[in-house]
Amino acid sequence: MKKKRIATTSLAGCFGCHMSLLDIDERIFDLLELVEFDRSPLNDLKKFTRRCDIGLIEGGCCNEENVHVLREFRQNCDILVAVGQCAMMGGLPVMRNAIMHSDDPLRECLDEAFCTPKVLNPENQIPNDPALPLLLDKVYTCVDVVKIDYQIPGCPPSGETIWRALNALVKNEAPALEYDLIKYD
Amino acid sequence: MSDNKKITLTIDGKTIQAESGQSIMNACDAQGIYIPRLCDSTGLVPQGSCRVCSVKVNGRVVAACTQPAEDGANIEHESDEIQGYRKDLVRMLFHEGNHLCPICEASGRCELQAMAYRFGISQATTYPYLQPVRPVDASHPDIALDNNRCILCGRCIRASRDVDGKNVFEYVGRGIHKRIGVNGDCLADTNADLNDYAMSLEVCPVGCIIRKGEGFFSPVGERQYDSDKIGSNIENHTAHSSLGKLIKVHQIDPNDAIHDDIDQSNVNEDKS
């Protein structure tokens, strides 16, 4: 059987889902019998070398670079899978979308992070280097930006969950998770 | 209310016995058939607002918790259509509030989450996330309210009114603006107390009512719904004595033993 090509990325995530992928332990050897990794932080490939069968997305979109990368993944992957709560519904970063008593949650979030005297930031400056990707007005889920084929819930999904889902995907099946593998936390 | 007349129902083709005056849900509970529910809770007057308990009776969709069982009724319970309605209702609840399971203290014992697990909800929906901006009320020394997680089941309202006799909570607003209000500017202004039944872990199905200083009392893996599906306690019993409590739903007295029972069980849980 021809090996499937997999690409992975972490957008507005914490890399926990990637750590969880590594949590399949020695089964990673079995996985490498079935798949080949293309663009991924695991092998440090920054660009797609060719079209991929499966793209795994960790995290939602909080800046314009995230949107750019996510669209690139959609263009280059046959099946796109949102992995983890951040990719599915925004996760923790999405908390900045709804801040109590705030009409401008992004401003409030940045003020709290950089302009309060609690933080060592003598110039009270919000980072604005042109090299930094522009923040979006709010955090978007992957589904808001591109078509997502499957989701693997969890924060992070356990190694077992990712293993089962990937096994189904390389066999061209929809990942079906049993009761004890569906977790939102 | 009930004259204890035996009646016969058909549920998904299976014939069961019930007492006249019982709701469809209570009749099914007694037979070990679990109908999913969020706004209904043992010891509270059924309200029929979440509609997760929807069943089809003689071709009409009704809430099983409030619909009386009728002799000869033909009930559709686990058909694809009804399960589809229930799943969509649960999905919409997730989209309507800010349900951040990874940070929620109730995760693992949350009935909304457990219901989604039971339904196997893991794939994307077409509904938008509304991401409402809702207040957190941490004014009370022992209790905090995080309205982001509220699903408007009204269990706290009924518990406070009918069991505690206090009326700490009430619905305010209408339609999409409907929310739970407290009887004062903030919770600290009310006569709410940590020992109220309304503040006990049984009442709030999600993590909206937070008992301060008690969070995360069970480790991951040992939480209520980590291995047991919600409703498995009902499915694993068939007409046993423990369900006697489920059936006497309508008789609530503020001085009733139910209240003491529940306070006691809380104290035990705190120690564990």
Side-chain angles (χ1 to χ4, degrees), chain B residues 48-82:
Chain B
S49 63
C50 73
R51 312 310 276 193
V52 173
C53 68
S54 289
V55 291
K56 211 175 206 181
V57 180
N58 301 335
R60 272 192 75 198
V61 179
V62 296
C65 65
T66 50
Q67 185 74 14
E70 278 177 61
D71 198 18
N74 186 13
I75 301 164
E76 197 180 309
H77 158 48
E78 282 197 319
S79 64
D80 288 347
E81 184 195 356
I82 293 293

Side-chain angles (χ1 to χ4, degrees), chain A residues 24-38:
Chain A
I24 61 176
D25 299 331
E26 75 277 7
R27 284 176 292 185
I28 197 137
F29 295 113
D30 302 332
L31 183 65
L32 288 175
E33 297 291 315
L34 301 169
V35 304
E36 229 168 354
F37 277 91
D38 199 275

Side-chain angles (χ1 to χ4, degrees), chain B residues 5-167:
Chain B
K5 202 177 120 222
K6 291 282 178 200
I7 56 172
T8 311
L9 313 170
T10 314
I11 178 153
D12 287 345
K14 187 185 159 198
T15 306
I16 62 164
Q17 296 279 318
E19 285 170 25
S20 97
Q22 265 187 323
S23 67
I24 292 173
M25 184 183 280
N26 285 345
C28 289
D29 280 352
Q31 298 297 321
I33 299 169
Y34 175 72
I35 298 178
R37 70 205 65 174
L38 287 174
C39 75
D40 194 48
S41 173
T42 310
L44 298 178
V45 183
Q47 170 173 289
S49 63
C50 73
R51 312 310 276 193
V52 173
C53 68
S54 289
V55 291
K56 211 175 206 181
V57 180
N58 301 335
R60 272 192 75 198
V61 179
V62 296
C65 65
T66 50
Q67 185 74 14
E70 278 177 61
D71 198 18
N74 186 13
I75 301 164
E76 197 180 309
H77 158 48
E78 282 197 319
S79 64
D80 288 347
E81 184 195 356
I82 293 293
Q83 286 290 65
Y85 290 151
R86 293 172 181 166
K87 275 188 194 179
D88 274 351
L89 286 165
V90 171
R91 282 194 185 115
M92 283 192 274
L93 287 173
F94 272 96
H95 287 252
E96 192 252 339
N98 295 316
H99 296 281
L100 296 155
C101 300
I103 56 143
C104 184
E105 179 263 317
S107 188
R109 59 173 177 83
C110 167
E111 292 182 28
L112 176 66
Q113 188 192 55
M115 202 59 78
Y117 290 170
R118 186 186 165 97
F119 289 141
I121 294 173
S122 63
Q123 292 311 317
T125 59
T126 49
Y127 307 124
Y129 284 99
L130 298 189
Q131 295 171 348
V133 179
R134 294 192 193 154
V136 177
D137 181 350
S139 58
H140 195 281
D142 303 319
I143 309 153
L145 301 178
D146 186 346
N147 289 293
N148 290 293
R149 302 164 185 171
C150 182
I151 57 168
L152 299 174
C153 65
R155 275 157 60 164
C156 55
I157 298 176
R158 284 170 281 157
S160 185
R161 182 190 63 208
D162 301 336
V163 182
D164 300 327
K166 280 187 171 178
N167 286 315

Side-chain angles (χ1 to χ4, degrees), chain A residues 85 88-89 91-92 94-95 97-101 138-139 141 143 149-151 153 155 175 179 182-185, chain B residues 94 98-103 107 113 116-117 120-124 129 131-133 135-136 223 225-226 228-229:
Chain A
Q85 293 300 113
M88 283 172 58
M89 47 74 71
L92 300 204
V94 90
M95 291 179 82
N97 290 8
I99 295 176
M100 185 166 68
H101 306 314
K138 57 177 197 164
V139 176
T141 67
V143 188
D149 299 294
Y150 299 112
Q151 292 184 338
C155 184
Y179 178 81
I182 299 179
K183 293 279 173 233
Y184 301 160
D185 61 355
Chain B
F94 272 96
N98 295 316
H99 296 281
L100 296 155
C101 300
I103 56 143
S107 188
Q113 188 192 55
Y117 290 170
I121 294 173
S122 63
Q123 292 311 317
Y129 284 99
Q131 295 171 348
V133 179
V136 177
R223 300 170 303 180
Y225 301 118
D226 274 340
D228 295 336
K229 276 186 189 180

Side-chain angles (χ1 to χ4, degrees), chain A residues 119-131:
Chain A
V119 185
L120 181 63
N121 180 13
E123 286 153 35
N124 274 351
Q125 203 182 25
I126 292 169
N128 61 354
D129 192 283

